[in-house]
Amino acid sequence: MRVNIVGVGAGPSNLSLASLIHPTGLSNQFIEKQAEFSWHPGLQLPNATLQVSFLKDLVTLADPTNPFSFLAYLHETGRMYQFLNAQFDAITRQEFTQYLHWAANKNENVCFGEEVERIDFDGDFLVATSKRQLRAECISIAVGKVPSVPQFAEQGIGETMFHSADYLSHSHRLAGKRIAVVGSGQSGAEVFQDLLNRDGSDAPAQITWVSRRDRYAPLDDSPFTNDLFMPCHQDYFSSLPAHTRREFLKENVLASDGITESTLREIYQSLYLRRFVRDTPNTVNLLPNRAVENVIRDGASWVVKMLHGDTKQHEMLPVDIVIWATGYKNAAIEFLSPIEDRLHSDNDEISVDGSFAARWNGPSNRPIFIHNASRAQKGLSDPNLSLTAWRSAKMMQRILGRPVATEPETSSVCWGPHVALPGKALRTA
């Protein structure tokens, strides 16, 4: 079977591209090894919400008329008026996951329970899956991220030490335990909040929230910061030298890795009620400004070794359970090993061009698109939902050789060198 494009993975990134392709008539197959659609299944907590607008769905910011939009989902499932009447400040992650599941099942070209095992090239891409052989002119790789834990903790991962990505699969075994949550981003906050809200026989014996940062910092969701998630800023960021890009990502980490103010407020209110209203025994520790240096096995328990950022004193925390809310790293792409030596790299990333196609020594009309794996090259928005639809539109433009969406508006902010404005010259003292 020969198609225009084969997609590897069917998470939000490739679902976006598959949705934009669907009305065009391009032949395509998007292949996902999981038996059915899932998105962060271990963190589908009842009250967890998206950190971006629901309009930043699979397609709307590139093609508002596309039948795979979130609004189309609301209409088709008969909930449009009630959704509006509910006046959500942010939609729940559970509902957005239901939307993604709907989009995946609605698209007949998205195939589950099939794994891409090998991709080679002989003028076309030769795609070997667990079920068949395909030929393709283009490849779209969106295999997502995998949980990241410190190297010293890797050997201990199991029932009593795990990543927050697996939280729900372990959550029924946490009653009466001393628990350390390590990490001060949104995932760490949501896990801590869930533990904090348990009571009675379901409550942990002790909850400790450890953060390398010197405080539990809010996500910067202000208007001008959100301009960093516009296409024009990503283009500007990509033009900067590598060392400048690294410094920018470090300085602006809270634009994408902070905690929503609503979550922080709910946690603070829960702490207040426990301490002053309900007179709950103090079983909660908040430990910011601590770097976890090691975890040491102590029988069936653990001792977390920490270094205080200011005093430089070491502290030891005995616990039964360690939950790492320490982010994610790019997933391995071993299926590309037959052509791996033909791909150019940019430090730890595959080097990509302006259309998110890998730089390689193959023909320019045989692109290998890379989703969500170029943060050091493309900036804060690369792993974020904000520019998913725009990125897919850029890929579509490369495939079709023509624009597929109206060029997005520019920011009111001049990111690059100042260009003289029309009118009188500015006077200087």
Side-chain angles (χ1 to χ4, degrees):
M1 181 180 182
R2 189 175 190 275
V3 295
N4 295 118
I5 183 166
V6 166
V8 186
S13 294
N14 256 346
L15 275 184
S16 171
L17 183 58
S19 299
L20 288 176
I21 286 175
H22 195 269
T24 69
L26 285 172
S27 56
N28 62 94
Q29 293 283 283
F30 286 78
I31 298 167
E32 169 59 53
K33 66 181 180 180
Q34 301 297 329
E36 61 181 3
F37 179 82
S38 66
W39 186 54
H40 299 303
L43 283 169
Q44 292 291 327
L45 297 166
N47 296 319
T49 60
L50 280 190
Q51 292 179 282
V52 299
S53 167
F54 66 84
L55 292 177
K56 294 181 175 181
D57 60 14
L58 298 175
V59 295
T60 294
L61 294 186
D63 178 13
T65 67
N66 188 282
F68 291 90
S69 70
F70 184 76
L71 290 178
Y73 162 73
L74 293 177
H75 176 73
E76 186 169 306
T77 56
R79 62 179 81 178
M80 180 77 79
Y81 283 96
Q82 292 180 77
F83 176 82
L84 293 173
N85 293 342
Q87 299 181 8
F88 291 109
D89 292 327
I91 69 168
T92 65
R93 192 178 297 143
Q94 285 185 339
E95 182 167 26
F96 199 75
T97 301
Q98 291 170 4
Y99 154 67
L100 296 173
H101 195 279
W102 166 86
N105 288 342
K106 188 180 178 70
N107 192 331
E108 68 279 6
N109 296 315
V110 179
C111 309
F112 289 93
E114 182 176 358
E115 183 173 4
V116 172
E117 297 175 338
R118 178 183 175 88
I119 297 178
D120 211 333
F121 185 78
D122 70 351
D124 283 337
F125 293 103
L126 309 176
V127 183
T129 82
S130 55
K131 295 183 177 180
R132 52 181 164 160
Q133 304 282 329
L134 295 166
R135 279 185 171 271
E137 298 174 7
C138 315
I139 297 294
S140 175
I141 297 173
V143 293
K145 307 282 187 179
V146 293
S148 177
V149 300
Q151 187 174 5
F152 58 75
E154 290 176 352
Q155 296 302 313
I157 295 298
E159 296 296 319
T160 59
M161 185 159 65
F162 50 87
H163 194 272
S164 58
D166 299 315
Y167 175 68
L168 285 181
S169 63
H170 294 277
S171 62
H172 61 286
R173 290 190 291 266
L174 304 180
K177 304 293 186 181
R178 298 168 300 167
I179 302 170
V181 179
V182 182
S184 56
Q186 184 69 19
S187 296
E190 289 175 359
V191 168
F192 179 75
Q193 181 184 21
D194 184 71
L195 294 169
L196 198 61
N197 289 340
R198 297 182 178 207
D199 53 23
S201 61
D202 193 40
Q206 178 180 293
I207 315 164
T208 303
W209 190 10
V210 181
S211 168
R212 180 187 291 271
R213 295 174 186 159
D214 59 5
R215 60 195 175 99
Y216 299 98
L219 178 76
D220 186 349
D221 193 31
S222 57
F224 284 106
T225 296
N226 280 327
D227 265 30
L228 302 179
F229 296 86
M230 290 180 65
C232 56
H233 186 268
Q234 185 170 101
D235 288 340
Y236 168 69
F237 178 90
S238 299
S239 72
L240 298 173
H243 70 277
T244 305
R245 298 198 304 264
R246 286 194 296 271
E247 285 302 310
F248 178 89
L249 292 173
K250 182 178 178 180
E251 291 175 7
N252 291 277
V253 65
L254 291 177
S256 61
D257 194 34
I259 305 166
T260 60
E261 286 198 28
S262 60
T263 302
L264 287 172
R265 189 177 303 112
E266 289 170 9
I267 289 173
Y268 202 96
Q269 289 171 353
S270 294
L271 292 170
Y272 177 92
L273 293 172
R274 289 170 66 97
R275 182 176 180 183
F276 297 111
V277 179
R278 297 172 186 153
D279 195 25
T280 305
N282 183 24
T283 58
V284 178
N285 301 306
L286 299 174
L287 302 180
N289 204 14
R290 271 84 166 177
V292 176
E293 294 188 323
N294 204 354
V295 283
I296 303 163
R297 174 72 74 176
D298 181 22
S301 302
W302 299 96
V303 175
V304 180
K305 181 180 179 182
M306 302 173 293
L307 178 68
H308 194 285
D310 292 332
T311 67
K312 305 306 177 185
Q313 291 182 326
H314 282 100
E315 300 172 336
M316 304 297 233
L317 174 69
V319 295
D320 303 306
I321 304 287
V322 180
I323 303 174
W324 296 102
T326 43
Y328 298 81
K329 60 185 178 181
N330 290 341
I333 47 176
E334 297 172 353
F335 52 83
L336 277 184
S337 58
I339 58 173
E340 183 179 14
D341 60 351
R342 304 183 65 175
L343 302 172
H344 300 165
S345 63
D346 189 321
N347 293 318
D348 295 329
E349 298 175 350
I350 295 175
S351 179
V352 297
D353 63 19
S355 62
F356 299 87
R359 302 182 193 275
W360 75 308
N361 64 3
S364 61
N365 65 344
R366 293 294 183 266
I368 305 168
F369 296 113
I370 307 292
H371 298 257
N372 193 21
S374 310
R375 185 174 182 269
Q377 300 170 73
K378 296 297 185 180
L380 295 167
S381 58
D382 188 68
N384 187 281
L385 289 172
S386 292
L387 294 186
T388 298
W390 173 77
R391 180 175 59 205
S392 296
K394 296 284 282 187
M395 296 175 180
M396 288 282 293
Q397 181 173 326
R398 173 71 173 270
I399 297 168
L400 296 173
R402 58 175 174 79
V404 297
T406 303
E407 189 66 23
E409 69 268 21
T410 59
S411 172
S412 299
V413 179
C414 178
W415 299 113
H418 175 67
V419 178
L421 300 175
K424 295 181 180 179
L426 296 175
R427 297 182 64 181
T428 56

